Amino acid sequence: MNLPNRITLTRIFMIPVMLVFLLVDAGWLSHEITLGVYSLPVHQLIAAVLFIVAASTDGIDGYIARKYNLVTNLGKLLDPLADKLLVGTVLIGLVAMGKCDAWIAVVIISREFAVTGLREVALLEGSVIAASKWGKAKTITQIIAISALLLNNFPFEWLSFPLDDVAMWLAAVITLYSGIDYFVKNKSVLSFSKA
């Protein structure tokens, strides 16, 4: 078990902890941090910090694995799984809190399943589908949108600019587009004529 894989596993183990803080609104966790018109419950702030730390480890584990030649099959399996679990879990939590439309969560999570399925079919055919620029843009916009929602639009709330809503819509559009892009560019992988 090398360092990048340990970092990825840490990201996975952070997910249930983050979810507990996101959804448990009791005792001292329910206290609000207030700055003028801006307020944020303590439990939501902790969940936001955990999400941002977990999301940032994605780039760190990949960088270390590539730089020190520590890329493993386990890492190739765990890294995208960790990303999908992190985003999917927090989106479901945000839907439960009424902070994200369910259809947006469904679009994002469905795209993740669909592209994962496409990659699995490609692996069975002996090819690998690399991450595209749209896939990377999708990840960045999702992290920005989810972070903004978790932080109750801080600091843009002071400017009366709904970055959280705009970013979530943008994330949904880019996520959908990137999924379509993967299927169009890799349609040769899907051969329905084969038995």
Side-chain angles (χ1 to χ4, degrees):
M1 182 69 64
N2 63 27
L3 179 60
N5 290 344
R6 285 193 190 116
I7 293 170
T8 304
L9 281 173
T10 301
R11 182 159 77 252
I12 291 171
F13 290 131
M14 287 175 72
I15 294 168
V17 176
M18 180 202 61
L19 188 62
V20 167
F21 279 110
L22 185 61
L23 299 178
V24 173
D25 182 10
W28 64 272
L29 292 172
S30 63
H31 287 39
E32 298 252 341
I33 299 167
T34 306
L35 298 167
V37 296
Y38 176 78
S39 67
L40 182 69
V42 170
H43 72 96
Q44 204 171 312
L45 175 62
I46 294 170
V49 170
L50 288 172
F51 173 78
I52 292 166
V53 169
S56 68
T57 65
D58 180 33
I60 294 168
D61 60 9
Y63 172 77
I64 293 171
R66 286 185 299 276
K67 180 169 182 174
Y68 297 103
N69 198 24
L70 297 171
V71 176
T72 64
N73 287 335
L74 179 63
K76 289 177 188 176
L77 171 73
L78 288 180
D79 188 59
L81 177 65
D83 299 341
K84 288 163 182 46
L85 285 171
L86 178 65
V87 169
T89 301
V90 77
L91 281 174
I92 292 167
L94 289 167
V95 169
M97 296 171 68
K99 296 181 75 59
C100 177
D101 291 335
W103 73 266
I104 290 179
V106 168
V107 164
I108 291 173
I109 294 169
S110 297
R111 179 266 185 212
E112 299 302 344
F113 278 115
V115 171
T116 298
L118 178 67
R119 284 192 162 124
E120 292 298 319
V121 171
L123 280 176
L124 292 173
E125 299 279 328
S127 61
V128 175
I129 298 176
S132 70
K133 66 179 180 181
W134 285 108
K136 292 174 184 174
K138 176 262 315 178
T139 300
I140 292 167
T141 56
Q142 286 177 357
I143 290 169
I144 291 169
I146 290 169
S147 299
L149 283 172
L150 287 172
L151 292 170
N152 286 355
N153 203 36
F154 178 80
F156 298 91
E157 186 67 23
W158 288 326
L159 304 173
S160 298
F161 178 70
L163 176 73
D164 51 356
D165 293 332
V166 171
M168 189 50 76
W169 273 88
L170 185 62
V173 169
I174 291 176
T175 298
L176 188 59
Y177 181 83
S178 72
I180 292 167
D181 185 58
Y182 273 112
F183 276 87
V184 169
K185 288 182 178 171
N186 297 285
K187 61 186 172 193
S188 61
V189 170
L190 300 173
S191 176
F192 297 104
S193 61
K194 290 184 181 177

